[in-house]
Amino acid sequence: MPSHEQLSELLEPRTTVLMTVECQQGVVGPDSALPELARQARSSGALGNVARLVAAAHQGGVQVIHAIAERRPDGRGANRNARLFHAAERLPVQQLSGSTAVRVAAPIEVTEEDFVVRRLHGLSPLAGTEVDALLRNLGCRTLIVTGVSANVAIPNTVFDAVNHGYTAVVPADAIAGVPPDYTPAMIRNTLALVATVATTDEVLACLAPRHRAPRP
């Protein structure tokens, strides 16, 4: 784990962005298409920790981006080149554009200053979307990655962030996957090699409002 000083240096508000990954009603909400994942996200406290981090980011002047995965009702433009995509097509709850399933889930708060970026394809919020351009225009150097799932989207996001030149910070207790013992193993053996791993409380201590000049 990094020291408070090291983490604070990484989490300079003007150059930090907090991203929530697929924290949408149809994924982590009560009527999730993936009930096991939704239960784990809530029972582990991960979803609550995401909400705490988002609230602190709002108060501390850190930009928030909510990354949403959805599909058109006709499926046009969606991937069909992996088992995961075929399985998703058969789920009882579909992440359809404009539906309640693709709204950011409670208790996470969305403000007018937040970006909500929606993708129709792929496994990562950064690959082939507008997120990288937004991050560069925002002057981002450090990306805090939170949400689900530790099985697919979170490692994809972290790898893409690193490949695009950003420093990734992962609050280990603000991500979730299944089964429960998979997430800590994946963090220890994979994400810790490429990202700065911390706890929600450690990140919160660095996101407290600072008296600095506004983001350019």
Side-chain angles (χ1 to χ4, degrees), residues 95-108:
Q95 314 299 316
L96 299 181
S97 302
S99 70
T100 59
V102 296
R103 295 178 184 171
V104 176
I108 299 169

Side-chain angles (χ1 to χ4, degrees), residues 19-20 23 29 61 63 71 77 80-81 84 101 104 114 126 130 133 136 144 146 153-154 161 186 194 196 199 204 211:
M19 174 178 284
T20 74
C23 291
Q63 180 66 55
R71 59 185 287 123
R80 292 184 175 83
N81 57 339
L84 176 66
V104 176
D114 295 357
L126 270 76
E130 62 181 323
R136 295 191 185 282
I144 306 171
T146 68
I154 294 297
M186 188 275 298
V194 295
T196 297
T199 66
L204 287 173
H211 299 291

Side-chain angles (χ1 to χ4, degrees), residues 73-88:
D74 60 11
R76 290 173 64 87
N79 288 67
R80 292 184 175 83
N81 57 339
R83 289 174 55 196
L84 176 66
F85 301 121
H86 292 287

Side-chain angles (χ1 to χ4, degrees), residues 2-88:
S3 68
H4 176 75
E5 291 73 21
Q6 291 170 325
L7 195 58
S8 293
E9 185 176 352
L10 287 178
L11 298 179
E12 158 61 44
R14 292 173 298 177
T15 57
T16 297
V17 172
L18 171 66
M19 174 178 284
T20 74
V21 178
E22 297 182 23
C23 291
Q24 55 204 74
Q25 292 188 30
V27 176
V28 296
D31 299 319
S32 169
L34 304 165
E36 183 181 3
L37 176 60
R39 283 193 297 270
Q40 181 59 25
R42 292 178 176 274
S43 65
S44 68
L47 188 61
N49 284 334
V50 174
R52 293 170 64 206
L53 288 163
V54 168
H58 290 156
Q59 294 173 3
V62 172
Q63 180 66 55
V64 177
I65 295 179
H66 304 280
I68 301 296
E70 60 182 48
R71 59 185 287 123
R72 288 166 45 124
D74 60 11
R76 290 173 64 87
N79 288 67
R80 292 184 175 83
N81 57 339
R83 289 174 55 196
L84 176 66
F85 301 121
H86 292 287

Side-chain angles (χ1 to χ4, degrees), residues 9 12 20 31 36 38 45 57 65 74 80 83 90-91 100 118 121 139 148-149 164 167 172 197 202 215:
E9 185 176 352
E12 158 61 44
T20 74
D31 299 319
E36 183 181 3
I65 295 179
D74 60 11
R80 292 184 175 83
R83 289 174 55 196
R90 299 191 295 270
L91 291 173
T100 59
R118 304 177 182 278
H121 58 83
V148 296
S149 73
H164 282 76
T167 296
V197 177
E202 288 171 336
R215 185 188 295 272

